[in-house]
Amino acid sequence: MKGEPVYISPPPIMGGFPRDKVFKLNKSLYRQADAPRMWYDKLKASLEARGFTTCKADPCLFISKKVV
């Protein structure tokens, strides 16, 4: 499901909104099955952009050669 668009029906509180229309979500929902992976991919990209690398023994461990 990664990268696939997600659509939801309008909530009932939105009276007057056509019931045959849907919303396309721009961000993942936390209750989606792939949300943890999407969060990790975003974190990894952000850390790698700052010079961190993943540990070969544990890919959830990020290492930086620079002193912070």
Side-chain angles (χ1 to χ4, degrees), residues 7-57:
Y7 299 93
I8 62 168
S9 299
I13 196 168
M14 291 188 69
F17 195 84
R19 300 305 297 168
D20 62 335
K21 303 291 183 185
V22 294
F23 292 108
K24 179 179 177 186
L25 299 180
N26 292 325
K27 298 183 182 217
S28 67
L29 296 174
Y30 286 104
R31 293 182 188 239
Q32 280 185 213
D34 62 341
R37 180 66 183 183
M38 294 170 90
W39 182 88
Y40 172 79
D41 289 343
K42 188 169 186 173
L43 173 66
K44 182 180 177 190
S46 177
L47 290 174
E48 286 177 342
R50 289 170 174 77
F52 286 81
T53 57
T54 56
C55 176
K56 291 180 178 143

